[in-house]
Amino acid sequence: MDILEKIEELPRIELGSLPTPIERLQNFEKKLGVNNIYIKRDDLTGLGPGGNKIRSLEFILGEAVSQNCDTIIVAGPLQSNLCTLAACSCAKAGLKCITVHNGENPERAEGNLLLNKLLNVESHYLGNIPSKERNKYADELKVLLKEEGLSPYVIENGATTGMGAMGYVSAILEMKKQVDELNIPLKSIYAPGGNGGVAAGLIYGNALFGFPFEINIISVEYDKRTLAGEIKKVFDQLDVILATPLQYEISDICNIIDDYRGEDWGVNTKESEEMVHTFPQLEGIFIENIYTSKVLAGMEDLAQLGKLQEGSCYLHTGGLGSLFSQY
Ligand SMILES: *Cc1c(COP(=O)(O)O)cnc(C)c1O
């Protein structure tokens, strides 16, 4: 079967306002001294505060609905973008959503927690425990709910799964079509790498559709080798979903850059902290501390080193909800 038909046949529900715009960053490109710098506005995917997870949720919740599930369990830190966007998506899709957090329920709900409150989602706060234990709780909750007669579905691994990554496999098709229609010289994509779900989808889709772009992943947490290992795990799942094993080494078909991640996940570098201020001042578009600021800080440094080519595009993955808890 043709690969496009195969993708069409996957369970999917419509959640996002797609395609998201591609625009030129006129002021940022002056600051960088490089022409034709673009932004792909995946912060404008439509539901809630927007962001990349909406694309993943179209396929993940599509799978849940195809399995007749009625309750979605999603786990993450307090300010998890995934949890809030899953809750928004469940509202739209008519599913019950339960969020599970490692952290204490704060007196004042800020950022994504405020949005969760307005959505009236059922939230379980487990105190300061490791993510692994939190995820185990989510699995146990699934068993409990089943016994109560519900049909629960757990969103695994922060949506970094093969089905989740399908969102960005299909985003490559979307971008390819847009770039053709707009007739713009967009050659290269810069995106963040957390657990590697977005990265895996982009890299896999780009290979699947004949390498229309060069893919650059700026790691926000892991070193190169670890992130490549995480991406490989998602590749293996995509191979099964699409039944077309991809015959490439990851390092041959993308650049993973780990020079801009700083000390840890969510810890700004001096440059990324500055970028949280300068980028909205230049373009009127907000970014946040964990993912988006590090990609732009990386692009700026690469420009200064003469390594950022014309026609580079920043993929804005959103995260607006969490910004309101970060300052
Ligand atoms: C989840 C998320 C990402 C990417 O995460 P991966 O785990 O690498 O798929 C990037 N940006 C934002 C704002 C996110 O919420």
Side-chain angles (χ1 to χ4, degrees), residues 50-53 56 80-82 85 157-160 168 192-200 217 220 227 288 290-292 315-320 322:
N52 61 295
K53 301 294 186 312
S56 310
S80 162
N81 298 315
L82 172 65
L85 292 171
N157 198 33
T160 297
Y168 278 90
N195 285 329
V198 170
I217 303 300
V220 302
L227 182 55
E288 48 69 68
I290 300 170
Y291 299 97
T292 51
L315 175 68
H316 192 337
T317 49
L320 184 65
S322 67

Side-chain angles (χ1 to χ4, degrees), residues 260-272:
Y260 304 109
R261 63 198 161 114
E263 280 174 35
D264 207 348
W265 184 84
V267 181
N268 261 326
T269 61
K270 184 173 148 281
E271 292 78 16
S272 69

